[in-house]
Amino acid sequence: MALHFELVTPEKLVRSSEVYQVVVPGAEGDFGVLAGHAPFMATVRDGNLAIYAEERGQPELIRIEGGFAEVNEKGLTVLAEKAE
Amino acid sequence: MASLKALKGRIDSVKSTQKITKAMQMVAAAKLKRAQNAAEAGRPYAERLEKVVASLASKVTISSTTPKLLTGTGEDKVHLFVVATSDKGLAGAFNANIARLARRQADSLIKQGKTVKFYTIGKKGRAVLNRLYRGQVVESIEPGDLGKLSFADAHAWAEDLIARYEAGEFDVAHLFYSHFKSVLAQDPTQQQIIPVKVPDDAPRQEGAAAIEYEPDEEAILADLLPRNVAVQLFRAMRENAASEQGSKMTAMDNATRNAGDLIKRLNIEYNRKRQAAITTELVEIISGAEAL
C-alpha cells in the first residue's frame, strides 16, 4: 500500500506522489509516516525530509524550512515555506 | 483649419502612440500568463493552511493564553488598512478601484468614531491615501514589480504587521487587494487578516478519529497564525499581480483601438483636404487660362 504524499509551498505544489515512507523532521523529533498512519498534526523544524519511494533503497532528501505536517486519511501533506 | 503638414504630423504621432500601446498590451499579455499561473500555483497552500487553522481554531478553548492573533485585543477602535496596489500606473482603473474601496470603508469607519490608519504597499495607493488622510499612513512599501515578489517579502511585511499589532498600534487589520476573476473582471476585495477570522462553517470533525497533536493544539496554532498572515499577504500580492496585468492588457487594448479609430478619422480629413487643395489649384489654372 502506498502513501499519498504532498509537499506544498506558498509558491507552488512541489511534489504530489505515491511513496512508501516519508521521514519528517518534527519539532519534537523525527517521525516516519507510512500508509495508514493515524491522524496527526505536527510542526516541523528546519531540516531534511527523507522520501522513500520503495521499501528498500536510498531516500530522496528535500530540505524544508518553516514547515507543518498533517496526516489524515488521504495521506501526508507537508506545508513548508521553503523547499529545495 | 490645420494645414496639411500639421495633419500629417498628427497622424504620425498617433501612429507611434499606437505602436507603444500595442507593445505594452503584448507585454502585459505575456506577463499575465505567468502571473496567472503563479496565482494558481499558490492556491493549494493557502487553502490547506486556511482549513487547518479553521479546524484548529474551532477546537481551542479561549483562555488568557490563547494567541491574540486569534482572539483579538478585545477592542475595536483602531483599524489598520493594508492597501496593496502597484507602483506603476497605465493599468486602467486597477489602482483607483482598490483605493476607492479602501476610502469608502475608511470613511464609514471614521463616521463611527473609529481611527483608521494605513499601511500601503505600492506607490499608487499611497499617493491617493496620503493626500486624503494626511498623517494616517504609518508605513509605505514600494514593492516594485509585483510579479517578482517572493514569499520572503510577504513574510517580512507580516512580521512587521504582527510586531505592530503586539505593540498595540491597532486592533483590527484589513487587507485590500484586487481579486483576479478573469482578464476582464477584477474585483477589489477587502479581507480581515488580524485577528484571524474563523469561518462559521468551519469543518468540525465529528466521528472522525481523534487527531494527535505534537506539540499541543495551542502551540501549533501559535506557530501557524503568524504564518497565515504572511500567506494571506502573499496570496493577495499574487492576485494583485495577475489583476494588474489583466487590467493593463484591457486598458492597452482599448487605447490601441482608439488610436486606430483616430488614425482612420485623421486620414479621411487629410485626404479631403488634399483633394480640396488640388481642386483649388486646378480652378486657378483653368481660370487663369481662360483669362488669356
Side-chain angles (χ1 to χ4, degrees):
Chain A
M1 208 169 113
L3 167 72
H4 184 66
F5 164 64
E6 281 186 2
L7 175 59
V8 203
T9 67
E11 288 171 5
K12 61 177 194 278
L13 180 66
V14 179
R15 178 69 83 80
S16 172
S17 57
E18 307 295 320
V19 297
Y20 172 72
Q21 184 191 222
V22 180
V23 177
V24 184
E28 297 185 343
D30 291 9
F31 57 89
V33 181
L34 288 157
H37 195 290
F40 184 58
M41 265 187 209
T43 50
V44 174
R45 65 171 202 276
D46 300 351
N48 286 327
L49 268 181
I51 302 156
Y52 294 81
E54 305 287 330
E55 191 170 347
R56 277 167 234 285
Q58 282 300 308
E60 179 194 345
L61 297 178
I62 299 180
R63 174 153 179 91
I64 58 168
E65 277 173 38
F68 174 79
E70 183 192 11
V71 183
N72 56 24
E73 62 280 4
K74 286 182 208 111
L76 166 69
T77 309
V78 177
L79 303 177
E81 284 186 2
K82 263 196 223 158
E84 281 147 30
Chain B
M1 281 295 249
S3 71
L4 272 182
K5 189 156 185 295
L7 262 179
K8 185 107 188 142
R10 264 201 81 193
I11 292 173
D12 284 345
S13 110
V14 176
K15 264 189 190 156
S16 62
T17 308
Q18 189 189 29
K19 252 183 220 155
I20 294 168
T21 56
K22 183 115 202 218
M24 284 177 85
Q25 183 203 339
M26 288 194 301
V27 170
K31 282 194 178 167
L32 171 68
K33 190 88 192 101
R34 211 170 331 129
Q36 212 177 333
N37 286 343
E40 271 158 23
R43 269 182 203 151
Y45 187 95
E47 275 164 16
R48 259 169 227 159
L49 192 61
E50 213 170 7
K51 238 185 259 167
V52 171
V53 168
S55 79
L56 272 174
S58 64
K59 277 192 201 108
V60 171
T61 42
I62 307 284
S63 68
S64 55
T65 55
T66 317
K68 273 225 180 94
L69 281 175
L70 184 65
T71 58
T73 53
E75 294 204 44
D76 181 31
K77 271 205 195 96
V78 185
H79 289 246
L80 183 76
F81 281 20
V82 182
V83 184
T85 55
S86 69
D87 273 353
K88 287 187 189 137
L90 287 180
F94 168 73
N95 290 309
N97 281 342
I98 299 172
R100 189 182 313 135
L101 178 70
R103 249 169 52 204
R104 205 181 309 140
Q105 300 296 338
D107 288 342
S108 89
L109 281 174
I110 289 169
K111 244 183 222 150
Q112 293 166 32
K114 308 219 159 105
T115 311
V116 178
K117 291 179 182 171
F118 295 93
Y119 188 101
T120 60
I121 300 174
K123 278 187 200 163
K124 289 286 161 188
R126 182 189 58 196
V128 177
L129 298 171
N130 212 4
R131 198 172 59 232
L132 289 166
Y133 309 95
R134 193 155 278 285
Q136 297 298 93
V137 179
V138 292
E139 173 78 58
S140 61
I141 292 164
E142 292 173 14
D145 188 347
L146 291 182
K148 292 208 178 90
L149 285 174
S150 71
F151 184 66
D153 296 310
H155 198 259
W157 302 336
E159 269 178 10
D160 184 26
L161 279 176
I162 290 164
R164 284 164 190 274
Y165 180 65
E166 275 162 3
E169 277 189 42
F170 60 89
D171 300 315
V172 187
H174 306 269
L175 175 63
F176 290 85
Y177 65 98
S178 182
H179 176 71
F180 182 82
K181 257 165 88 189
S182 73
V183 180
L184 293 172
Q186 299 95 27
D187 278 349
T189 308
Q190 174 186 12
Q191 184 192 359
Q192 182 179 323
I193 50 171
I194 299 175
V196 174
K197 228 184 186 166
V198 179
D200 297 330
D201 54 343
R204 298 205 169 261
Q205 280 139 335
E206 280 164 45
I211 299 176
E212 256 185 76
Y213 295 94
E214 180 189 302
D216 56 40
E217 285 105 314
E218 254 176 39
I220 294 183
L221 208 50
D223 183 58
L224 283 188
L225 287 172
R227 199 171 302 158
N228 191 41
V229 175
V231 169
Q232 296 305 335
L233 269 177
F234 185 65
R235 174 159 73 167
M237 295 319 289
R238 281 275 166 94
E239 294 274 346
N240 251 2
S243 297
E244 185 197 12
Q245 298 306 337
S247 188
K248 181 171 273 181
M249 201 176 105
T250 320
M252 288 303 130
D253 186 40
N254 280 337
T256 309
R257 214 165 318 153
N258 278 345
D261 288 349
L262 197 55
I263 289 170
K264 221 181 269 165
R265 272 220 322 276
L266 285 172
N267 261 333
I268 290 172
E269 206 184 322
Y270 176 79
N271 286 339
R272 238 182 236 153
K273 273 244 172 82
R274 198 172 57 94
Q275 250 169 1
I278 292 168
T279 314
T280 323
E281 225 168 279
L282 277 177
V283 170
E284 274 168 8
I285 292 169
I286 292 167
S287 42
E290 268 173 4
L292 281 177

